[in-house]
Amino acid sequence: MSKLRLRQSETALSFSSDCPTAGLPEPAQLRPATSQETELAPPRHRPTSAPARWGSGGPRCLDVMAASRLPPATLTLKQFVRRQQVLLLYRRILQAIRQVPNDSDRKYLKDWAREEFKRNKSATEEDTIRMMITQGNMQLKELEKTLALTRS
């Protein structure tokens, strides 16, 4: 019997007979592949030439176990765009903080930015998130102005 070999960085696939009939695994069932799962033998009840069918349920169900940073729920387009705006703002703030000449000030500002983003991580209302992005952009501009004054 041949074995299916997967690298750790790839998505590990396993065949399961107790898969829910809905097809895809629930987010709670997703987990990183263990070292034992990196070498998987095809199941005996299914020929290897048969294609895997999504949503078939039962013994032919294909479970996907992937290490992922994706949120458990699917994002709408608006939420996805807002998330990208927040991540871009965070990166821009950290880039500006790297230009601060004093080490203790740089560490203080980096910790401040990290705590602010962590504290507001659970915000879900669209208006609140938009307002916080606007405030963050204003604070970033203020930091950039201060840095420009220290250079001159």
Side-chain angles (χ1 to χ4, degrees):
M1 183 178 285
S2 66
K3 292 198 174 207
L4 174 65
R5 294 181 187 268
L6 298 173
R7 284 186 239 138
Q8 283 291 83
S9 63
E10 295 176 341
T11 303
L13 303 175
S14 70
F15 295 93
S16 169
S17 62
D18 59 341
C19 183
T21 56
L24 294 175
E26 294 296 319
Q29 293 173 329
L30 294 177
R31 60 179 172 73
T34 63
S35 60
Q36 294 173 345
E37 292 172 337
T38 55
E39 286 190 13
L40 303 171
R44 294 178 188 230
H45 65 276
R46 176 188 172 117
T48 56
S49 61
R53 291 179 20 215
W54 291 98
S56 61
R60 293 185 180 179
C61 184
L62 181 66
D63 286 339
V64 178
M65 294 175 283
S68 176
R69 291 183 176 183
L70 296 175
T74 305
L75 298 176
T76 65
L77 180 61
K78 270 187 177 180
Q79 291 170 332
F80 177 80
V81 170
R82 290 286 181 228
R83 183 175 188 272
Q84 294 306 309
Q85 289 175 339
V86 170
L87 292 174
L88 178 65
L89 175 63
Y90 185 66
R91 282 192 295 265
R92 288 177 55 208
I93 288 173
L94 290 182
Q95 288 171 355
I97 289 172
R98 275 189 227 125
Q99 297 173 6
V100 173
N102 190 341
D103 288 337
S104 62
D105 290 341
R106 191 174 350 162
K107 182 177 177 351
Y108 171 78
L109 289 171
K110 188 176 178 183
D111 291 342
W112 166 80
R114 183 179 293 145
E115 286 303 315
E116 284 295 311
F117 277 84
K118 276 185 184 179
R119 186 168 55 90
N120 295 310
K121 181 181 178 179
S122 61
T124 56
E125 281 195 35
E126 186 73 23
D127 293 335
T128 307
I129 295 171
R130 194 171 350 120
M131 180 194 65
M132 287 189 281
I133 291 172
T134 304
Q135 287 177 347
N137 281 323
M138 290 186 329
Q139 291 172 344
L140 175 62
K141 285 179 184 175
E142 186 72 28
L143 177 61
E144 288 171 342
K145 285 179 186 176
T146 305
L147 288 171
L149 287 174
T150 60
R151 283 186 225 133
S152 58

